[in-house]
Amino acid sequence: MREPSATPAPAPGAPPPTVHGWCPGALRPMASGDGWIVRVRPHAGRLTRAQAAGIARLAAAHGRGPLELTRRANLQLRGVAQASHPELLAGLQALGLVDADAAAEQRRNIVVTPFRAPGDATLALAEALAQALAAPDAPALPAKFGFAVDCGATPVLRATPAHVRIERDGRGLVVRADRAPLLARATPHDAVAIAMQLAHWLARGDAAAPPPGFQPAPVLQRAGPRPQPGPVPGGWLVAAAFGQLPADILAHLAEHGDLRLTPWRMLLVEGARSAPALPGLLNDPADPLLRVVACSGTEGCRQAAGPTRPLARALAGLVPAHGLLHVSGCSKGCAHAEPTVTLVATPAGYDLVRHGKASAPPDRRALRADALASHLAHAWETTTTTQDAPPHEATDTPPL
């Protein structure tokens, strides 16, 4: 299955951004404006206390700046020097956080619901799926082909891109194709095999009939309530502005419990009954910083045309309670993949998209940073923003 490869249209006078077409990993880092990006993909989206504390030590020794929570429920280090990578990789291997090879690492693109309960088969299915993707007969999947294991009482990953989903409905487990109206019923014993059959079929991209057992199904509705910091089944959700988490804060969080990564720039602290009192965490659901999302901008990306996170922080108080503001350093829009009120940095200023992605034609061009507040107020008066789509990862790699 071929993914769209069109490059987002640049602003007039701006060079077209480079679309890498793949995501970084631990074995295959990606070069950025502040050094290498090394992404860690915890198994089943979970870090034990020892693993979290170990990553914090490695980030302090080899990274530059905070770690980043991604919308694929991964954790990445920025600013890693090429000479430091072997030692960093050895540390991650000792923590059990490195795959057998780069190909296996790329295929193991699985997002797992953090809201699982004993007996719902989530962890067993996630482990079996990871093993199937590491097997010699695993399909050659496109670089950003993704899976979602969303088997809690209620699906919560619908707004998280995935090509193949294992979910639960009122009758039991189902396997879905995200971009085709297809569904097959499954059991805990055959769900992974059915999911792999679907992945093989999607990867071939041919016009043949879908695998046996798949039937037409309604198109999924992606919207859902945006998760908020606070008590949740299994523990306590904490957020970090722009998904940035200093290494020492991660180490202190690990003292409170094992951690589950989520695709919402949040961590679930297992067993916690109150918010960890740590500086920099966002524990108030009304915090305006939860209503802005931004990539690294010129601070960390060579393709960005202007600063992003300082601007997003300054404008956060203007965002309505159910709104979302996306500030992008270029027209790729890596930090958010859904339409919303969007500001795009260009060499001439900031373009404003009232309701669209960073690549959409702007409603206003080349606005000065000091004039954005009044334009944003007007944008929300005339636009219905995306209210329920959760924030996505803040990296300079294109979204799935």
Side-chain angles (χ1 to χ4, degrees), residues 91-161:
L92 293 173
Q93 287 172 329
L95 293 170
L97 294 170
V98 178
D99 292 272
D101 53 54
E105 177 183 66
Q106 177 180 286
R107 287 194 300 271
R108 191 173 58 82
N109 186 9
I110 308 169
V111 181
V112 181
T113 176
F115 306 139
R116 47 189 176 263
D120 67 6
T122 295
L123 289 179
L125 289 170
E127 181 179 353
L129 181 57
Q131 292 175 351
L133 290 169
D137 61 347
L141 301 174
K144 290 195 169 188
F145 194 100
F147 297 81
V149 179
D150 199 9
C151 304
T154 301
V156 296
L157 301 179
R158 292 279 178 83
T160 300

Short mmCIF file of all heavy atoms in Angstrom, two decimals, residues 91-161:
data_model
loop_
_atom_site.label_atom_id
_atom_site.label_comp_id
_atom_site.label_asym_id
_atom_site.label_seq_id
_atom_site.Cartn_x
_atom_site.Cartn_y
_atom_site.Cartn_z
N GLY A 91 23.01 1.55 26.37
CA GLY A 91 22.20 1.75 27.57
C GLY A 91 20.76 1.35 27.36
O GLY A 91 20.13 0.74 28.24
N LEU A 92 20.20 1.68 26.20
CA LEU A 92 18.82 1.29 25.90
C LEU A 92 18.69 -0.22 25.75
O LEU A 92 17.68 -0.81 26.16
CB LEU A 92 18.36 1.99 24.63
CG LEU A 92 18.21 3.52 24.70
CD1 LEU A 92 17.91 4.09 23.33
CD2 LEU A 92 17.11 3.91 25.69
N GLN A 93 19.70 -0.86 25.17
CA GLN A 93 19.67 -2.31 25.04
C GLN A 93 19.68 -2.98 26.42
O GLN A 93 18.96 -3.95 26.65
CB GLN A 93 20.86 -2.79 24.22
CG GLN A 93 20.73 -2.48 22.73
CD GLN A 93 21.99 -2.79 21.95
OE1 GLN A 93 23.11 -2.68 22.48
NE2 GLN A 93 21.83 -3.15 20.68
N ALA A 94 20.45 -2.43 27.34
CA ALA A 94 20.50 -2.98 28.68
C ALA A 94 19.15 -2.85 29.39
O ALA A 94 18.83 -3.65 30.28
CB ALA A 94 21.59 -2.28 29.50
N LEU A 95 18.36 -1.87 28.99
CA LEU A 95 17.03 -1.67 29.58
C LEU A 95 15.95 -2.47 28.86
O LEU A 95 14.79 -2.43 29.24
CB LEU A 95 16.67 -0.18 29.54
CG LEU A 95 17.50 0.75 30.41
CD1 LEU A 95 17.18 2.21 30.08
CD2 LEU A 95 17.25 0.48 31.89
N GLY A 96 16.32 -3.21 27.81
CA GLY A 96 15.35 -4.00 27.06
C GLY A 96 14.46 -3.17 26.17
O GLY A 96 13.31 -3.53 25.91
N LEU A 97 15.01 -2.08 25.62
CA LEU A 97 14.20 -1.14 24.84
C LEU A 97 14.67 -1.00 23.40
O LEU A 97 14.35 0.00 22.74
CB LEU A 97 14.23 0.24 25.52
CG LEU A 97 13.55 0.30 26.89
CD1 LEU A 97 13.84 1.63 27.58
CD2 LEU A 97 12.05 0.09 26.75
N VAL A 98 15.39 -2.01 22.89
CA VAL A 98 15.88 -1.97 21.52
C VAL A 98 15.47 -3.25 20.81
O VAL A 98 15.59 -4.35 21.37
CB VAL A 98 17.42 -1.79 21.47
CG1 VAL A 98 17.93 -1.80 20.03
CG2 VAL A 98 17.82 -0.49 22.15
N ASP A 99 15.00 -3.11 19.58
CA ASP A 99 14.59 -4.27 18.78
C ASP A 99 15.79 -4.97 18.18
O ASP A 99 16.93 -4.49 18.25
CB ASP A 99 13.64 -3.81 17.68
CG ASP A 99 12.31 -3.33 18.23
OD1 ASP A 99 11.41 -4.17 18.39
OD2 ASP A 99 12.18 -2.12 18.50
N ALA A 100 15.53 -6.11 17.54
CA ALA A 100 16.61 -6.91 16.96
C ALA A 100 17.33 -6.17 15.85
O ALA A 100 18.54 -6.30 15.69
CB ALA A 100 16.06 -8.24 16.46
N ASP A 101 16.60 -5.43 15.04
CA ASP A 101 17.20 -4.68 13.94
C ASP A 101 16.28 -3.52 13.59
O ASP A 101 15.16 -3.41 14.09
CB ASP A 101 17.48 -5.57 12.72
CG ASP A 101 16.25 -6.33 12.26
OD1 ASP A 101 15.20 -5.69 12.01
OD2 ASP A 101 16.32 -7.58 12.17
N ALA A 102 16.75 -2.65 12.69
CA ALA A 102 15.98 -1.45 12.35
C ALA A 102 14.68 -1.78 11.65
O ALA A 102 13.67 -1.09 11.83
CB ALA A 102 16.84 -0.52 11.48
N ALA A 103 14.66 -2.86 10.85
CA ALA A 103 13.43 -3.23 10.16
C ALA A 103 12.36 -3.68 11.15
O ALA A 103 11.18 -3.30 11.03
CB ALA A 103 13.71 -4.34 9.14
N ALA A 104 12.75 -4.49 12.13
CA ALA A 104 11.80 -4.92 13.15
C ALA A 104 11.32 -3.74 13.98
O ALA A 104 10.14 -3.66 14.34
CB ALA A 104 12.43 -5.98 14.05
N GLU A 105 12.21 -2.82 14.26
CA GLU A 105 11.83 -1.62 15.02
C GLU A 105 10.79 -0.81 14.26
O GLU A 105 9.80 -0.35 14.84
CB GLU A 105 13.09 -0.78 15.27
CG GLU A 105 12.84 0.53 16.00
CD GLU A 105 14.12 1.32 16.15
OE1 GLU A 105 14.68 1.76 15.12
OE2 GLU A 105 14.56 1.51 17.29
N GLN A 106 10.99 -0.65 12.97
CA GLN A 106 10.05 0.13 12.17
C GLN A 106 8.69 -0.53 12.11
O GLN A 106 7.65 0.14 12.20
CB GLN A 106 10.60 0.30 10.76
CG GLN A 106 9.66 1.04 9.81
CD GLN A 106 10.24 1.18 8.43
OE1 GLN A 106 11.15 1.96 8.20
NE2 GLN A 106 9.74 0.38 7.49
N ARG A 107 8.65 -1.86 11.96
CA ARG A 107 7.36 -2.56 11.87
C ARG A 107 6.60 -2.50 13.18
O ARG A 107 5.37 -2.49 13.19
CB ARG A 107 7.57 -4.02 11.45
CG ARG A 107 7.94 -4.21 9.99
CD ARG A 107 7.79 -5.66 9.59
NE ARG A 107 8.62 -6.56 10.36
CZ ARG A 107 9.86 -6.91 10.06
NH1 ARG A 107 10.43 -6.42 8.95
NH2 ARG A 107 10.55 -7.75 10.82
N ARG A 108 7.32 -2.47 14.30
CA ARG A 108 6.64 -2.49 15.61
C ARG A 108 6.11 -1.09 15.94
O ARG A 108 6.49 -0.46 16.91
CB ARG A 108 7.59 -3.00 16.70
CG ARG A 108 6.86 -3.31 18.02
CD ARG A 108 7.79 -3.96 19.02
NE ARG A 108 8.96 -3.15 19.33
CZ ARG A 108 8.97 -2.16 20.22
NH1 ARG A 108 7.87 -1.82 20.87
NH2 ARG A 108 10.09 -1.49 20.45
N ASN A 109 5.19 -0.66 15.11
CA ASN A 109 4.57 0.65 15.24
C ASN A 109 3.16 0.44 15.81
O ASN A 109 2.18 0.44 15.08
CB ASN A 109 4.53 1.35 13.88
CG ASN A 109 4.05 2.77 13.96
OD1 ASN A 109 3.88 3.33 15.04
ND2 ASN A 109 3.80 3.37 12.81
N ILE A 110 3.10 0.20 17.11
CA ILE A 110 1.86 -0.20 17.78
C ILE A 110 1.54 0.79 18.88
O ILE A 110 2.36 1.07 19.75
CB ILE A 110 2.00 -1.60 18.40
CG1 ILE A 110 2.52 -2.63 17.38
CG2 ILE A 110 0.68 -2.07 18.99
CD1 ILE A 110 2.91 -3.95 18.00
N VAL A 111 0.32 1.33 18.85
CA VAL A 111 -0.17 2.15 19.95
C VAL A 111 -1.16 1.32 20.75
O VAL A 111 -2.05 0.67 20.19
CB VAL A 111 -0.85 3.44 19.43
CG1 VAL A 111 -1.33 4.29 20.60
CG2 VAL A 111 0.11 4.24 18.57
N VAL A 112 -0.99 1.32 22.06
CA VAL A 112 -1.79 0.47 22.94
C VAL A 112 -2.58 1.37 23.90
O VAL A 112 -2.03 2.32 24.47
CB VAL A 112 -0.90 -0.49 23.75
CG1 VAL A 112 -1.73 -1.38 24.66
CG2 VAL A 112 -0.06 -1.34 22.79
N THR A 113 -3.86 1.08 24.09
CA THR A 113 -4.65 1.87 25.01
C THR A 113 -4.03 1.86 26.40
O THR A 113 -3.64 0.81 26.91
CB THR A 113 -6.10 1.36 25.09
OG1 THR A 113 -6.80 2.12 26.08
CG2 THR A 113 -6.15 -0.12 25.45
N PRO A 114 -3.95 3.03 27.04
CA PRO A 114 -3.46 3.03 28.42
C PRO A 114 -4.54 2.65 29.42
O PRO A 114 -4.23 2.37 30.58
CB PRO A 114 -3.04 4.50 28.62
CG PRO A 114 -3.94 5.27 27.73
CD PRO A 114 -4.17 4.39 26.51
N PHE A 115 -5.80 2.63 28.98
CA PHE A 115 -6.91 2.36 29.88
C PHE A 115 -7.34 0.90 29.74
O PHE A 115 -8.41 0.57 29.24
CB PHE A 115 -8.09 3.29 29.58
CG PHE A 115 -7.72 4.74 29.60
CD1 PHE A 115 -8.22 5.60 28.64
CD2 PHE A 115 -6.87 5.24 30.57
CE1 PHE A 115 -7.89 6.95 28.65
CE2 PHE A 115 -6.52 6.59 30.58
CZ PHE A 115 -7.03 7.44 29.63
N ARG A 116 -6.49 0.03 30.17
CA ARG A 116 -6.79 -1.40 30.07
C ARG A 116 -7.14 -1.93 31.46
O ARG A 116 -6.79 -1.35 32.48
CB ARG A 116 -5.60 -2.15 29.49
CG ARG A 116 -4.26 -1.79 30.10
CD ARG A 116 -3.13 -2.42 29.32
NE ARG A 116 -1.81 -2.03 29.80
CZ ARG A 116 -1.07 -1.07 29.27
NH1 ARG A 116 -1.54 -0.37 28.25
NH2 ARG A 116 0.13 -0.77 29.75
N ALA A 117 -7.81 -3.06 31.46
CA ALA A 117 -8.24 -3.67 32.71
C ALA A 117 -7.80 -5.13 32.72
O ALA A 117 -7.64 -5.74 31.66
CB ALA A 117 -9.76 -3.57 32.86
N PRO A 118 -7.60 -5.70 33.89
CA PRO A 118 -7.24 -7.12 33.95
C PRO A 118 -8.27 -7.97 33.23
O PRO A 118 -9.47 -7.80 33.40
CB PRO A 118 -7.23 -7.40 35.46
CG PRO A 118 -6.98 -6.08 36.10
CD PRO A 118 -7.66 -5.07 35.23
N GLY A 119 -7.78 -8.86 32.37
CA GLY A 119 -8.67 -9.76 31.67
C GLY A 119 -9.20 -9.27 30.35
O GLY A 119 -9.93 -10.01 29.68
N ASP A 120 -8.83 -8.04 29.93
CA ASP A 120 -9.37 -7.57 28.64
C ASP A 120 -8.47 -7.95 27.46
O ASP A 120 -8.74 -7.54 26.33
CB ASP A 120 -9.60 -6.06 28.67
CG ASP A 120 -8.33 -5.23 28.78
OD1 ASP A 120 -7.22 -5.81 28.71
OD2 ASP A 120 -8.44 -4.00 28.92
N ALA A 121 -7.42 -8.67 27.70
CA ALA A 121 -6.53 -9.24 26.67
C ALA A 121 -5.63 -8.20 26.00
O ALA A 121 -4.89 -8.55 25.08
CB ALA A 121 -7.32 -9.99 25.60
N THR A 122 -5.65 -6.95 26.45
CA THR A 122 -4.87 -5.91 25.78
C THR A 122 -3.38 -6.24 25.74
O THR A 122 -2.76 -6.23 24.67
CB THR A 122 -5.09 -4.55 26.45
OG1 THR A 122 -6.46 -4.16 26.29
CG2 THR A 122 -4.19 -3.49 25.85
N LEU A 123 -2.81 -6.52 26.90
CA LEU A 123 -1.36 -6.75 26.94
C LEU A 123 -0.98 -8.02 26.19
O LEU A 123 0.04 -8.05 25.48
CB LEU A 123 -0.89 -6.82 28.40
CG LEU A 123 -0.89 -5.50 29.16
CD1 LEU A 123 -0.41 -5.71 30.59
CD2 LEU A 123 0.00 -4.47 28.47
N ALA A 124 -1.77 -9.07 26.31
CA ALA A 124 -1.46 -10.31 25.60
C ALA A 124 -1.52 -10.10 24.09
O ALA A 124 -0.66 -10.59 23.34
CB ALA A 124 -2.42 -11.42 26.02
N LEU A 125 -2.50 -9.35 23.62
CA LEU A 125 -2.61 -9.09 22.18
C LEU A 125 -1.47 -8.20 21.70
O LEU A 125 -0.92 -8.42 20.61
CB LEU A 125 -3.96 -8.43 21.88
CG LEU A 125 -5.18 -9.35 22.01
CD1 LEU A 125 -6.46 -8.53 21.93
CD2 LEU A 125 -5.16 -10.42 20.92
N ALA A 126 -1.11 -7.19 22.48
CA ALA A 126 -0.01 -6.31 22.08
C ALA A 126 1.30 -7.09 21.99
O ALA A 126 2.09 -6.90 21.06
CB ALA A 126 0.12 -5.16 23.07
N GLU A 127 1.54 -7.98 22.94
CA GLU A 127 2.76 -8.78 22.91
C GLU A 127 2.76 -9.75 21.72
O GLU A 127 3.77 -9.89 21.02
CB GLU A 127 2.90 -9.57 24.22
CG GLU A 127 4.16 -10.43 24.28
CD GLU A 127 4.28 -11.19 25.59
OE1 GLU A 127 3.47 -10.95 26.50
OE2 GLU A 127 5.19 -12.03 25.69
N ALA A 128 1.63 -10.40 21.48
CA ALA A 128 1.54 -11.33 20.36
C ALA A 128 1.69 -10.60 19.03
O ALA A 128 2.33 -11.11 18.09
CB ALA A 128 0.22 -12.08 20.40
N LEU A 129 1.14 -9.41 18.91
CA LEU A 129 1.28 -8.63 17.68
C LEU A 129 2.73 -8.22 17.46
O LEU A 129 3.25 -8.29 16.33
CB LEU A 129 0.38 -7.40 17.75
CG LEU A 129 0.37 -6.47 16.54
CD1 LEU A 129 -0.02 -7.23 15.27
CD2 LEU A 129 -0.59 -5.31 16.77
N ALA A 130 3.42 -7.81 18.52
CA ALA A 130 4.83 -7.45 18.39
C ALA A 130 5.66 -8.65 17.93
O ALA A 130 6.56 -8.52 17.10
CB ALA A 130 5.35 -6.92 19.72
N GLN A 131 5.36 -9.84 18.46
CA GLN A 131 6.08 -11.03 18.05
C GLN A 131 5.81 -11.36 16.59
O GLN A 131 6.72 -11.74 15.84
CB GLN A 131 5.69 -12.20 18.95
CG GLN A 131 6.16 -12.06 20.39
CD GLN A 131 5.66 -13.18 21.29
OE1 GLN A 131 4.80 -13.98 20.88
NE2 GLN A 131 6.15 -13.24 22.51
N ALA A 132 4.56 -11.19 16.15
CA ALA A 132 4.22 -11.48 14.76
C ALA A 132 4.93 -10.51 13.81
O ALA A 132 5.37 -10.91 12.72
CB ALA A 132 2.71 -11.39 14.57
N LEU A 133 5.07 -9.27 14.22
CA LEU A 133 5.73 -8.28 13.38
C LEU A 133 7.24 -8.48 13.33
O LEU A 133 7.91 -7.97 12.44
CB LEU A 133 5.40 -6.87 13.87
CG LEU A 133 3.95 -6.43 13.65
CD1 LEU A 133 3.65 -5.15 14.41
CD2 LEU A 133 3.67 -6.23 12.16
N ALA A 134 7.78 -9.21 14.30
CA ALA A 134 9.21 -9.51 14.30
C ALA A 134 9.53 -10.84 13.64
O ALA A 134 10.70 -11.18 13.46
CB ALA A 134 9.73 -9.52 15.75
N ALA A 135 8.50 -11.59 13.23
CA ALA A 135 8.72 -12.91 12.64
C ALA A 135 9.28 -12.80 11.23
O ALA A 135 9.11 -11.78 10.56
CB ALA A 135 7.40 -13.68 12.62
N PRO A 136 9.96 -13.83 10.76
CA PRO A 136 10.54 -13.79 9.40
C PRO A 136 9.52 -13.59 8.30
O PRO A 136 9.85 -13.03 7.25
CB PRO A 136 11.23 -15.16 9.28
CG PRO A 136 11.48 -15.60 10.69
CD PRO A 136 10.33 -15.06 11.49
N ASP A 137 8.27 -14.03 8.50
CA ASP A 137 7.26 -13.90 7.45
C ASP A 137 6.42 -12.63 7.60
O ASP A 137 5.38 -12.48 6.96
CB ASP A 137 6.34 -15.11 7.44
CG ASP A 137 5.58 -15.29 8.76
OD1 ASP A 137 5.96 -14.62 9.77
OD2 ASP A 137 4.62 -16.08 8.80
N ALA A 138 6.87 -11.69 8.43
CA ALA A 138 6.13 -10.44 8.59
C ALA A 138 6.12 -9.68 7.27
O ALA A 138 7.11 -9.70 6.52
CB ALA A 138 6.76 -9.59 9.68
N PRO A 139 5.03 -9.02 6.94
CA PRO A 139 4.95 -8.32 5.65
C PRO A 139 5.89 -7.12 5.59
O PRO A 139 6.23 -6.53 6.63
CB PRO A 139 3.49 -7.87 5.59
CG PRO A 139 3.07 -7.77 7.02
CD PRO A 139 3.80 -8.86 7.74
N ALA A 140 6.32 -6.78 4.39
CA ALA A 140 7.12 -5.58 4.18
C ALA A 140 6.16 -4.39 4.16
O ALA A 140 5.53 -4.11 3.14
CB ALA A 140 7.89 -5.68 2.87
N LEU A 141 6.04 -3.71 5.28
CA LEU A 141 5.06 -2.66 5.43
C LEU A 141 5.66 -1.30 5.09
O LEU A 141 6.86 -1.09 5.25
CB LEU A 141 4.54 -2.64 6.88
CG LEU A 141 3.87 -3.92 7.37
CD1 LEU A 141 3.54 -3.81 8.85
CD2 LEU A 141 2.61 -4.20 6.56
N PRO A 142 4.84 -0.36 4.64
CA PRO A 142 5.32 1.01 4.45
C PRO A 142 5.89 1.56 5.75
O PRO A 142 5.56 1.09 6.85
CB PRO A 142 4.07 1.77 4.02
CG PRO A 142 3.16 0.74 3.45
CD PRO A 142 3.42 -0.51 4.24
N ALA A 143 6.73 2.57 5.63
CA ALA A 143 7.49 3.06 6.78
C ALA A 143 6.61 3.54 7.93
O ALA A 143 7.00 3.45 9.08
CB ALA A 143 8.42 4.18 6.35
N LYS A 144 5.44 4.03 7.63
CA LYS A 144 4.59 4.57 8.69
C LYS A 144 3.31 3.77 8.89
O LYS A 144 2.32 4.28 9.39
CB LYS A 144 4.26 6.03 8.40
CG LYS A 144 5.47 6.93 8.56
CD LYS A 144 5.04 8.37 8.62
CE LYS A 144 6.23 9.22 9.03
NZ LYS A 144 5.82 10.62 9.29
N PHE A 145 3.35 2.52 8.54
CA PHE A 145 2.20 1.64 8.73
C PHE A 145 2.03 1.40 10.23
O PHE A 145 2.98 0.99 10.91
CB PHE A 145 2.41 0.33 7.99
CG PHE A 145 1.18 -0.50 7.84
CD1 PHE A 145 0.48 -0.51 6.64
CD2 PHE A 145 0.71 -1.29 8.88
CE1 PHE A 145 -0.66 -1.29 6.48
CE2 PHE A 145 -0.43 -2.07 8.75
CZ PHE A 145 -1.11 -2.06 7.53
N GLY A 146 0.83 1.63 10.76
CA GLY A 146 0.65 1.53 12.19
C GLY A 146 -0.51 0.65 12.61
O GLY A 146 -1.45 0.39 11.85
N PHE A 147 -0.43 0.17 13.86
CA PHE A 147 -1.45 -0.67 14.47
C PHE A 147 -1.93 0.00 15.76
O PHE A 147 -1.18 0.72 16.42
CB PHE A 147 -0.88 -2.05 14.82
CG PHE A 147 -0.42 -2.85 13.64
CD1 PHE A 147 0.84 -2.63 13.08
CD2 PHE A 147 -1.21 -3.85 13.10
CE1 PHE A 147 1.27 -3.37 11.99
CE2 PHE A 147 -0.77 -4.61 12.02
CZ PHE A 147 0.47 -4.37 11.46
N ALA A 148 -3.18 -0.28 16.12
CA ALA A 148 -3.73 0.16 17.39
C ALA A 148 -4.37 -1.03 18.09
O ALA A 148 -5.17 -1.75 17.48
CB ALA A 148 -4.75 1.27 17.20
N VAL A 149 -4.00 -1.24 19.34
CA VAL A 149 -4.62 -2.25 20.18
C VAL A 149 -5.44 -1.49 21.21
O VAL A 149 -4.90 -0.91 22.15
CB VAL A 149 -3.58 -3.17 20.84
CG1 VAL A 149 -4.27 -4.21 21.73
CG2 VAL A 149 -2.72 -3.86 19.78
N ASP A 150 -6.75 -1.48 21.02
CA ASP A 150 -7.65 -0.58 21.74
C ASP A 150 -8.79 -1.38 22.35
O ASP A 150 -9.96 -1.15 22.05
CB ASP A 150 -8.17 0.48 20.76
CG ASP A 150 -8.71 1.72 21.43
OD1 ASP A 150 -8.55 1.85 22.66
OD2 ASP A 150 -9.30 2.55 20.72
N CYS A 151 -8.43 -2.32 23.22
CA CYS A 151 -9.39 -3.33 23.67
C CYS A 151 -9.97 -3.06 25.04
O CYS A 151 -10.46 -3.99 25.70
CB CYS A 151 -8.73 -4.71 23.66
SG CYS A 151 -8.04 -5.16 22.08
N GLY A 152 -9.91 -1.83 25.51
CA GLY A 152 -10.57 -1.51 26.76
C GLY A 152 -12.08 -1.51 26.60
O GLY A 152 -12.62 -1.81 25.54
N ALA A 153 -12.77 -1.13 27.67
CA ALA A 153 -14.23 -1.14 27.64
C ALA A 153 -14.76 -0.20 26.57
O ALA A 153 -15.79 -0.46 25.94
CB ALA A 153 -14.77 -0.75 29.01
N THR A 154 -14.06 0.91 26.33
CA THR A 154 -14.45 1.88 25.32
C THR A 154 -13.23 2.24 24.48
O THR A 154 -12.17 2.54 25.04
CB THR A 154 -14.99 3.17 25.98
OG1 THR A 154 -16.11 2.83 26.80
CG2 THR A 154 -15.40 4.18 24.93
N PRO A 155 -13.31 2.20 23.15
CA PRO A 155 -12.16 2.60 22.33
C PRO A 155 -11.80 4.06 22.59
O PRO A 155 -12.67 4.93 22.63
CB PRO A 155 -12.66 2.39 20.90
CG PRO A 155 -13.77 1.40 21.02
CD PRO A 155 -14.42 1.69 22.33
N VAL A 156 -10.51 4.33 22.76
CA VAL A 156 -10.06 5.70 23.03
C VAL A 156 -9.01 6.17 22.02
O VAL A 156 -8.55 7.30 22.11
CB VAL A 156 -9.46 5.81 24.45
CG1 VAL A 156 -10.54 5.55 25.50
CG2 VAL A 156 -8.28 4.87 24.65
N LEU A 157 -8.66 5.32 21.06
CA LEU A 157 -7.59 5.65 20.11
C LEU A 157 -8.11 5.97 18.72
O LEU A 157 -7.33 5.99 17.77
CB LEU A 157 -6.59 4.48 20.03
CG LEU A 157 -5.91 4.08 21.33
CD1 LEU A 157 -4.96 2.90 21.09
CD2 LEU A 157 -5.13 5.25 21.93
N ARG A 158 -9.40 6.24 18.58
CA ARG A 158 -9.97 6.46 17.26
C ARG A 158 -9.32 7.66 16.55
O ARG A 158 -9.23 7.68 15.32
CB ARG A 158 -11.48 6.67 17.37
CG ARG A 158 -12.24 5.42 17.81
CD ARG A 158 -12.46 4.47 16.65
NE ARG A 158 -13.13 3.25 17.05
CZ ARG A 158 -14.44 3.13 17.20
NH1 ARG A 158 -15.24 4.17 17.02
NH2 ARG A 158 -14.96 1.96 17.54
N ALA A 159 -8.91 8.70 17.29
CA ALA A 159 -8.29 9.86 16.68
C ALA A 159 -6.79 9.67 16.48
O ALA A 159 -6.12 10.58 15.97
CB ALA A 159 -8.55 11.12 17.52
N THR A 160 -6.26 8.53 16.87
CA THR A 160 -4.84 8.22 16.67
C THR A 160 -4.71 7.41 15.40
O THR A 160 -5.26 6.32 15.29
CB THR A 160 -4.30 7.42 17.86
OG1 THR A 160 -4.45 8.19 19.05
CG2 THR A 160 -2.83 7.09 17.65
N PRO A 161 -3.99 7.91 14.38
CA PRO A 161 -3.91 7.19 13.11
C PRO A 161 -3.36 5.77 13.28
O PRO A 161 -2.41 5.53 14.02
CB PRO A 161 -2.96 8.06 12.28
CG PRO A 161 -3.08 9.42 12.87
CD PRO A 161 -3.27 9.20 14.34
#
